[in-house]
Amino acid sequence: MRIPPSSVIIVFAYWKGWKAMELDISKIKTAQGQTRSWTLEGTVPDTGEGTGRITFQGPVQVDLQVENLAGNLLLKGMARGRVRQNCDRCLEPYTEEFSVELEEVIYPESRPPGDELDFYRTYQGNFLDLDGIIQDAVVVANPITRLCSPQCRGICSRCGKNLNSGPCGCAEDVYNPRMEVLRKLLKEE
């Protein structure tokens, strides 16, 4: 899968009401062997539903080093901020801080890598959109099971009440007639 050029993403970003976090690469893209550093702060759009929606809360701070490797740009750095997402046990939203490492090779659109790579990013023009890079790093660093706290009790499987706010009042032991044979075996032991 190929990421679209940053100019397409920027147009979409303005249409949605937010400004993309961009990096001016006009000087580094022509300076082979050179390294430049940036410190940026800006907003990042929410991730899609397929990743278990993650909403970025407030600005994201990014410290980046970009090195020109024969026209390919090697980005290394750190992104920090806050995200809001839903707990997988109790389904309630919660906010937490994140700090993720960024490391990505960006290829010029005119010289993409060979076919051995099926996922790569390209740049075109003088600006590089960082939103997708930051989103991907946060999604990958996010745990598979997202919990508001390690002690989260979840929801009642019968009535759906959030058990973190107290017991629900449902009967503890619900008799299931299909399990009668197993119950008899356990009593014999």
Side-chain angles (χ1 to χ4, degrees):
M1 176 176 162
R2 205 173 124 246
I3 302 298
S6 60
S7 58
V8 174
I9 295 173
I10 293 167
V11 170
F12 178 73
Y14 285 115
W15 177 72
K16 282 297 205 181
W18 48 264
K19 185 179 181 307
M21 188 182 293
E22 296 177 327
L23 187 64
D24 181 356
I25 58 171
S26 58
K27 292 181 180 157
I28 190 71
K29 73 178 189 176
T30 58
Q32 290 191 19
Q34 297 292 314
T35 301
R36 295 209 45 211
S37 297
W38 282 271
T39 298
L40 304 164
E41 184 172 288
T43 58
V44 176
D46 302 344
T47 64
E49 292 296 330
T51 58
R53 182 176 284 296
I54 297 173
T55 304
F56 290 87
Q57 300 286 299
V60 174
Q61 296 82 32
V62 179
D63 295 314
L64 272 182
Q65 261 195 333
V66 180
E67 183 178 358
N68 185 326
L69 303 172
N72 303 326
L73 302 180
L74 172 62
L75 276 71
K76 286 186 178 184
M78 198 68 123
R80 291 173 299 286
R82 295 178 62 79
V83 292
R84 183 175 178 89
Q85 51 196 352
N86 291 334
C87 177
D88 288 336
R89 282 189 192 157
C90 67
L91 308 178
E92 292 294 321
Y94 70 99
T95 302
E96 70 178 348
E97 293 185 2
F98 72 87
S99 180
V100 294
E101 287 188 38
L102 305 173
E103 187 167 344
E104 189 92 30
V105 177
I106 315 292
Y107 299 91
E109 175 130 317
S110 60
R111 288 188 345 224
D115 291 335
E116 73 277 358
L117 295 176
D118 51 344
F119 180 81
Y120 57 89
R121 296 184 192 275
T122 61
Y123 69 86
Q124 175 183 337
N126 293 327
F127 292 94
L128 179 64
D129 180 19
L130 298 177
D131 292 340
I133 296 169
I134 295 168
Q135 288 173 330
D136 289 351
V138 170
V139 167
V140 168
N142 217 9
I144 292 173
T145 303
R146 300 176 295 189
L147 301 177
C148 57
S149 78
Q151 296 79 26
C152 179
R153 298 186 63 214
I155 60 173
C156 174
S157 61
R158 288 182 285 273
C159 71
K161 182 178 188 230
N162 185 344
L163 299 174
N164 294 319
S165 60
C168 63
C170 291
E172 290 279 328
D173 186 25
V174 175
Y175 176 72
N176 184 341
R178 295 175 291 183
M179 302 301 273
E180 186 61 33
V181 175
L182 183 58
R183 188 182 310 266
K184 287 179 182 177
L185 286 175
L186 289 173
K187 283 183 182 178
E188 291 175 6
E189 292 179 2

